[in-house]
Amino acid sequence: MGAPKQKWTAEEEAALKAGVLKHGAGKWRTILTDPEFSDVLHMRSNVDLKDKWRNINVTAIWGSRQKARLAALKRNQLTPKHDANPLAISTVVKSDEEIVDAKPLAVSGGALESVGSKERVKR
Amino acid sequence: MGAPKQKWTAEEEAALKAGVLKHGAGKWRTILTDPEFSDVLHMRSNVDLKDKWRNINVTAIWGSRQKARLAALKRNQLTPKHDANPLAISTVVKSDEEIVDAKPLAVSGGALESVGSKERVKR
DNA sequence: CTATAGGGATAGGGTTTT
DNA sequence: TAAAACCCTATCCCTATA
């Protein structure tokens, strides 16, 4: 139906990482129009860059927690079968305040600018 | 980066609608400084009000297209969706029929036929 | 300089494909 | 089941105009 799914090449991924180093995460359109990367990434949209960056960072941080919480949630709603132990250890995952939330960024060995200067606190 | 994204609460939206009824659409700064709404909306800018109003009126118009499709999908594979908003008058029924239309608003005209075909050609 | 209207970009949840 | 790629759109940003 829609798009045939284009796998990201190593070259594209490298360009994306370099682009983030140069312009910062979130500056997708800027990266895309930078002549340094536009050639390699010309068939990607700014949204594609954002999505790919998200995927990269998701796998890079796996190991913290919150995996358990998400997994539990999914299990709770889309696991139609079994679980035949009414006595079990109630599966309480209550202690879950701190969501790490560190700015991921773990590009190949290089220190990345910490992209967080202005917050919109208030609320 | 910067703004983590502030979702509008039902209370804020109600204040915005009331503000438009009282001062008119387009008078964002006036609404914002009206003591009747300034408390609820004090973390929103006049531009935020404008944007939200635009979105409200846009979504009010496609009441028959993807909405049905989305609803069907949700029904099919229940999406979790936790509210995370311990406030609000959760008890269902929020008479949201009032589409104010105080002054400007010229959405009239006709069928907003959305683009139907979503094909990714390119590549 | 300040405010509004519009266009456009981003964030994050959702869906589809592998 | 998970993960990668892609979609949807509320929210936010930028800029021309008044």
Side-chain angles (χ1 to χ4, degrees):
Chain A
M1 216 174 128
K5 293 289 185 194
Q6 292 287 319
K7 289 285 273 185
W8 276 70
T9 66
E11 190 182 14
E12 288 176 316
E13 195 173 318
L16 171 57
K17 290 176 178 176
V20 170
L21 276 174
K22 184 173 181 181
H23 300 289
K27 293 299 169 42
W28 282 293
R29 173 60 51 147
T30 305
I31 294 173
L32 217 46
T33 54
D34 184 328
E36 188 178 343
F37 314 113
S38 59
D39 187 52
V40 172
L41 299 174
H42 78 99
M43 72 292 286
R44 301 293 178 181
S45 72
N46 51 328
V47 176
D48 289 334
L49 264 50
K50 182 262 304 178
D51 285 330
K52 181 57 180 176
W53 186 248
R54 171 169 56 176
N55 281 340
I56 289 173
N57 286 309
V58 159
T59 57
I61 267 205
W62 249 188
S64 307
R65 51 256 263 307
Q66 72 185 131
K67 180 181 187 178
R69 186 169 61 131
L70 283 176
L73 254 176
K74 296 209 162 176
R75 224 173 293 123
N76 193 34
Q77 65 129 185
L78 35 101
T79 299
K81 299 176 184 172
H82 79 36
D83 178 20
N85 193 329
L87 307 174
I89 327 88
S90 69
T91 321
V92 181
V93 192
K94 218 289 186 180
S95 56
D96 219 272
E97 333 276 305
E98 275 296 69
I99 293 182
V100 189
D101 191 55
K103 259 312 181 184
L105 309 187
V107 196
S108 40
L112 265 194
E113 73 187 278
S114 127
V115 211
S117 2
K118 45 173 184 168
E119 278 300 320
R120 181 70 73 73
V121 204
K122 273 190 169 180
R123 235 172 149 106
Chain B
M1 232 179 95
K5 206 171 191 182
Q6 309 264 13
K7 291 212 72 170
W8 277 69
T9 66
E11 190 181 13
E12 289 175 315
E13 195 174 319
L16 171 58
K17 289 178 179 177
V20 170
L21 277 176
K22 184 173 181 182
H23 300 287
K27 295 299 177 10
W28 314 121
R29 174 56 48 135
T30 305
I31 294 172
L32 217 47
T33 52
D34 184 327
E36 187 179 343
F37 313 114
S38 59
D39 187 52
V40 173
L41 299 174
H42 81 96
M43 72 291 288
R44 302 291 178 181
S45 72
N46 51 326
V47 177
D48 289 334
L49 264 50
K50 181 262 302 178
D51 285 328
K52 182 58 179 177
W53 185 249
R54 169 169 60 176
N55 178 253
I56 288 173
N57 287 309
V58 163
T59 57
I61 288 184
W62 46 262
S64 64
R65 204 186 167 60
Q66 309 179 293
K67 197 166 189 177
R69 182 174 66 87
L70 271 180
L73 281 173
K74 304 256 168 177
R75 231 171 287 119
N76 230 356
Q77 55 171 224
L78 288 173
T79 308
K81 216 63 179 173
H82 351 330
D83 200 311
N85 190 331
L87 303 174
I89 336 91
S90 61
T91 319
V92 204
V93 188
K94 277 261 293 83
S95 49
D96 263 353
E97 285 308 312
E98 15 138 19
I99 296 181
V100 267
D101 193 359
K103 283 182 182 172
L105 294 191
V107 216
S108 58
L112 279 201
E113 185 40 34
S114 57
V115 276
S117 44
K118 248 48 209 326
E119 281 301 319
R120 287 299 80 115
V121 204
K122 273 214 153 188
R123 275 147 195 176

